[in-house]
């Protein structure tokens, strides 16, 4: 019996791109490998992902990181989570789920979806429908 070797981070990134029909350019594969190469979900900002690229010694501009994250969102590989209306986080977990925003650390993490209960929502205005609900629970450490 032949045992299959686990996928490398680059192979996993390339497969992720292919699943959405994106061409695997060098920059996209580099970013995809950092985002999902270990099989774990990530919450990143463009700046934090850019810093990870720099640590790896890769050559990808911050503008390319922004544009690539937008492209990943456009094809459904990631979702954007807006905090304070100004700070964008990008999440590789695209299923509907709530988030904790750690104010003291400027960090986003998943909150347990099975503990969230929304019992009533306001009616959507005439001619509109609710497309989704974003729940961001802001936290700060107790002194």
């Amino acid at each position: 019996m032949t045992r299959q070797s686990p996928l490398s981070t680059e192979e996993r990134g390339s497969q992720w791109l292919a699943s959405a029909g994106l061409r695997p350019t060098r920059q996209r594969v580099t970013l995809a490998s950092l985002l999902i190469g270990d099989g774990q979900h990530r919450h990143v900002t463009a700046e934090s992902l850019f810093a990870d690229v720099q640590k790896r010694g890769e050559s990808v501009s911050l503008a390319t990181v922004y544009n690539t994250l937008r492209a990943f969102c456009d094809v459904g590989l990631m979702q954007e989570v807006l905090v304070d209306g100004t700070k964008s986080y990008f999440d590789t977990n695209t299923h509907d789920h709530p988030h904790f925003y750690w104010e003291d650390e400027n960090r986003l993490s998943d909150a347990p979806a099975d503990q969230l209960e929304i019992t009533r929502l306001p009616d959507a205005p005439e001619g509109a429908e609710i497309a989704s609900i974003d729940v961001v629970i802001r936290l700060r450490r107790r002194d």
Side-chain angles (χ1 to χ4, degrees):
M1 184 167 147
T2 307
R3 190 174 200 182
Q4 286 187 311
S5 62
L7 293 176
S8 71
T9 58
E10 286 76 20
E11 290 169 328
R12 187 174 277 127
S14 292
Q15 285 185 359
W16 191 56
L17 296 172
S19 73
L22 285 178
R23 193 166 51 89
T25 64
R26 180 188 62 79
Q27 293 95 339
R28 285 178 180 166
V29 171
T30 295
L31 296 175
S33 298
L34 285 167
L35 289 167
I36 58 97
D38 64 359
Q40 302 297 309
H41 286 297
R42 297 273 184 275
H43 299 91
V44 299
T45 63
E47 294 80 7
S48 70
L49 186 56
F50 179 69
D52 289 344
V53 169
Q54 298 293 300
K55 285 182 207 163
R56 208 183 208 200
E58 299 284 343
S59 175
V60 176
S61 72
L62 181 57
T64 297
V65 172
Y66 272 105
N67 292 336
T68 303
L69 287 170
R70 295 269 176 238
F72 289 176
C73 288
D74 289 346
V75 297
L77 290 175
M78 300 186 81
Q79 67 175 339
E80 183 176 9
V81 179
L82 219 57
V83 177
D84 287 339
T86 58
K87 187 86 170 164
S88 287
Y89 287 82
F90 298 89
D91 188 356
T92 58
N93 180 354
T94 58
H95 297 96
D96 288 336
H97 63 283
H99 290 97
F100 288 132
Y101 177 66
W102 300 84
E103 290 182 336
D104 301 336
E105 302 171 29
N106 294 319
R107 181 174 59 89
L108 197 69
S109 64
D110 290 339
D114 61 342
Q115 295 177 17
L116 178 68
E117 290 183 33
I118 299 175
T119 58
R120 186 161 183 217
L121 294 173
D123 293 334
E126 182 70 32
E129 66 181 5
I130 296 173
S132 68
I133 300 168
D134 296 325
V135 176
V136 177
I137 303 159
R138 301 174 68 87
L139 303 173
R140 71 176 63 100
R141 304 259 181 225
R142 291 186 204 161
D143 289 332

